Amino acid sequence: GQNIDQPTEMTATEGAIVQINCTYQTSGFNGLFWYQQHAGEAPTFLSYNVLDGLEEKGRFSSFLSRSKGYSYLLLKELQMKDSASYLCAVRDLYNFNKFYFGSGTKLNVKP
Amino acid sequence: GAVVSQHPSRVICKSGTSVKIECRSLDFQATTMFWYRQFPKQSLMLMATSNEGSKATYEQGVEKDKFLINHASLTLSTLTVTSAHPEDSSFYICSARPGPSSGNTIYFGEGSWLTVV
């Protein structure tokens, strides 16, 4: 089975830094992905980790520890437009195109 | 860039009727597409894997006779919700990956809101 956990909701202030955590227990692992989803829209790709460590991509960074089954997404210099849900997804070990998603973390950015 | 398109974006149907949602890859061929369902304030739930030229593979708990999937060409997969009930009202999203050369990015369609009344 697949079990992917994220906090339900978080609030942060514009200009600040926020970290969204994700823990997973899956029958197989072939990479962890972070997606952003605005309400009523399709998810868009943010970042990807398959090896342990930090991947930086502009204002967004993602960290992975495979031994701990843990990842986080770090958002810096928060902007109001960053208010969205952030989905953590684990890729299936045997099927590169198959993903299992966490329940998502709704991030509210306030002025 | 690669684009996946869904149609219709919103549909309202009566209980007991069937509704078809299309998922197209616009500038690449996709031998495999994926269908997800998302209830309000919940995450994407993988429903099935659509395989071109063969039967779809359904996730546990998803009724294959209720959610018919047809992947008749390399650019089109359709999801038909048969005998729809109000509890089928949801956001349905498809995804596809262009191929190994595209890296790890998969593309999602715009999603289709289904409301059953």
Side-chain angles (χ1 to χ4, degrees):
Chain A
Q2 323 297 338
N3 190 25
I4 302 170
D5 291 319
Q6 303 177 234
T8 305
E9 192 164 359
M10 300 178 71
T11 300
T13 305
E14 192 176 15
I17 300 173
V18 70
Q19 177 174 312
I20 302 174
N21 296 324
C22 171
T23 57
Y24 63 91
Q25 291 175 309
T26 56
S27 54
F29 177 85
N30 196 3
L32 190 139
F33 292 70
W34 284 94
Y35 286 84
Q36 181 191 62
Q37 186 181 27
H38 286 98
E41 298 180 11
T44 54
F45 172 78
L46 289 179
S47 70
Y48 159 71
N49 295 72
V50 67
L51 300 176
D52 291 352
L54 188 69
E55 291 285 338
E56 297 188 78
K57 202 173 180 181
R59 294 191 299 117
F60 298 92
S61 303
S62 57
F63 172 83
L64 175 67
S65 169
R66 289 171 294 169
S67 62
K68 295 181 179 177
Y70 168 69
S71 174
Y72 67 72
L73 178 70
L74 194 70
L75 293 81
K76 303 175 185 176
E77 301 170 15
L78 279 175
Q79 301 175 8
M80 298 300 292
K81 67 177 182 179
D82 296 329
S83 292
S85 286
Y86 291 85
L87 307 176
C88 168
V90 172
R91 185 163 64 184
D92 188 83
L93 178 61
Y94 301 105
N95 187 333
F96 266 50
N97 299 311
K98 194 170 181 179
F99 293 79
Y100 298 97
F101 285 83
S103 56
T105 299
K106 184 180 178 186
L107 175 64
N108 303 302
V109 180
K110 60 181 184 179
Chain B
V3 176
V4 174
S5 179
Q6 275 183 248
H7 177 81
S9 57
R10 290 183 179 274
V11 59
I12 300 173
C13 71
K14 291 184 178 180
S15 262
T17 62
S18 296
V19 61
K20 181 186 288 187
I21 301 170
E22 294 184 346
C23 178
R24 293 182 184 273
S25 56
L26 295 186
D27 56 2
F28 65 94
Q29 295 182 331
T31 56
T32 307
M33 293 183 176
F34 296 83
W35 287 97
Y36 295 85
R37 179 169 54 184
Q38 186 177 35
F39 292 106
K41 299 185 180 181
Q42 296 185 27
S43 187
L44 300 172
M45 184 192 79
L46 180 64
M47 297 176 65
T49 303
S50 173
N51 304 298
E52 189 270 334
S54 65
K55 291 182 179 179
T57 306
Y58 290 82
E59 295 298 302
Q60 193 173 7
V62 178
E63 300 174 59
K64 61 179 67 176
D65 294 330
K66 179 168 185 61
F67 299 99
L68 300 180
I69 292 173
N70 187 346
H71 196 150
S73 78
L74 288 171
T75 59
L76 174 64
S77 174
T78 60
L79 169 68
T80 301
V81 182
T82 63
S83 187
H85 290 159
E87 55 264 34
D88 297 326
S89 298
S90 184
F91 190 50
Y92 292 87
I93 308 178
C94 68
S95 73
R97 179 167 171 255
S101 61
S102 73
N104 293 296
T105 302
I106 63 168
Y107 295 93
F108 286 87
E110 307 96 328
S112 300
W113 282 101
L114 170 63
T115 302
V116 183
V117 298

